[in-house]
Amino acid sequence: MTSARPVVLMIEDEPQIRRFLRTTLDAEGFAVEEAESGAKGLTMAANRRPEAIILDLGLPDIDGVEVIRRLREWTGVPVIILSARAQEADKVAALDGGADDYVAKPFGVGELLARLRVALRHATAGAGGNASSFESGDLRIDFPARRVCIAGKEIHLTPTEYRLLTLLARHAGKVLTQRFLLKEVWGPGYVERPHYLRIYMANLRQKLEADPARPRRLLTDIGVGYRLAVDAALDG
């Protein structure tokens, strides 16, 4: 009999973290599978088909970034990195490799659970790829009409600002690296020009944030990339 509870696969070699997460996730309504190595994790991912994967980068056999790459050869299952590697280069490598999010150890369980729920929600919705509109808080984007509104008031965006915003919206809740955004919005020849991104993000914040100096919608992961917050992150 198949469990109705979402299955989360933990690929983590530290037993104490696996025990803690197993207890926490079980209490939150998830069914938990565990693997202590990259090779076992890849096998379990193929056999058990989990709804999400929590992955450590520092595994004893296969580097976590390589695990992500192998997973992405055949599945789009949400992958959340949970790692002691907190350097920007490690985050960028994992996200560019196909991870959906990154939480550094030591971590707050509330943050991890929030990131997990966002990843599951977007996986269920197909990451917004075929949606005709996007809504979060008072922001609404009508993709076919190329129309952006805040609290019902239409906001004028330049074509580049619109491309950048819609790319973030179609991956809302997920950190998109600078290289990815530059490549997708401006083209492969612009991946080494992060100042383009800073300028256009500043412009978008001026138009979409109540307080552009303290953005709550268009968020920065310093040195890594940007994220469009979803409703849960806008509350409070």
Side-chain angles (χ1 to χ4, degrees):
M1 180 177 178
T2 302
S3 171
R5 305 201 304 169
V7 176
V8 176
L9 171 61
M10 284 188 292
I11 308 177
E12 167 65 64
D13 66 325
E14 296 185 44
Q16 64 271 31
I17 292 181
R18 291 205 307 274
R19 284 195 298 270
F20 171 70
L21 285 177
R22 181 172 63 245
T23 301
T24 300
L25 292 170
D26 181 73
E28 292 292 325
F30 296 99
V32 183
E33 301 282 353
E34 301 176 39
E36 68 277 6
S37 69
K40 183 176 179 181
L42 288 166
T43 299
M44 291 183 70
N47 292 337
R48 307 294 176 86
R49 299 295 175 123
E51 275 76 21
I53 294 174
I54 296 175
L55 172 66
D56 186 15
L57 292 182
L59 298 168
D61 56 341
I62 306 172
D63 186 79
V65 174
E66 178 60 24
V67 173
I68 300 168
R69 293 194 181 106
R70 294 188 192 182
L71 286 168
R72 288 295 174 252
E73 290 175 356
W74 62 273
T75 180
V77 62
V79 176
I80 298 176
I81 301 301
L82 183 62
S83 178
R85 298 182 192 172
Q87 297 298 314
E88 292 172 3
D90 294 316
K91 291 184 179 182
V92 170
L95 292 166
D96 276 344
D100 292 82
D101 214 332
Y102 195 112
V103 178
K105 298 176 183 176
F107 63 95
V109 68
E111 178 186 10
L112 178 62
L113 288 169
R115 301 284 182 91
L116 177 59
R117 291 190 183 104
V118 167
L120 287 168
R121 197 157 62 239
H122 286 96
T124 301
N130 297 317
S132 62
S133 65
F134 170 84
E135 292 187 49
S136 181
D138 60 0
L139 170 66
R140 176 178 170 82
I141 304 171
D142 183 330
F143 295 122
R146 299 176 65 85
R147 190 167 182 261
V148 178
C149 294
I150 296 286
K153 179 182 178 181
E154 186 168 0
I155 307 298
H156 173 72
L157 300 181
T158 69
T160 301
E161 289 169 352
Y162 180 80
R163 285 199 303 272
L164 179 56
L165 178 63
T166 55
L167 184 59
L168 288 161
R170 291 189 184 280
H171 298 83
K174 176 180 177 179
V175 177
L176 301 182
T177 65
Q178 294 183 35
R179 288 180 63 88
F180 176 81
L181 289 167
L182 287 163
K183 179 181 177 183
E184 294 297 315
V185 176
W186 284 273
Y190 291 81
V191 295
E192 301 299 335
R193 300 184 185 182
H195 60 283
Y196 277 52
L197 199 48
R198 289 194 295 270
I199 291 168
Y200 277 86
M201 286 300 296
N203 291 345
L204 281 175
R205 284 171 173 156
Q206 288 291 333
K207 295 180 178 183
L208 302 179
E209 297 282 3
D211 182 356
R214 297 180 179 179
R216 299 181 67 233
R217 192 188 311 279
L218 296 164
L219 307 179
T220 302
D221 195 322
I222 296 173
V224 179
Y226 297 91
R227 176 201 309 263
L228 179 62
V230 291
D231 290 337
L234 293 168
D235 292 338

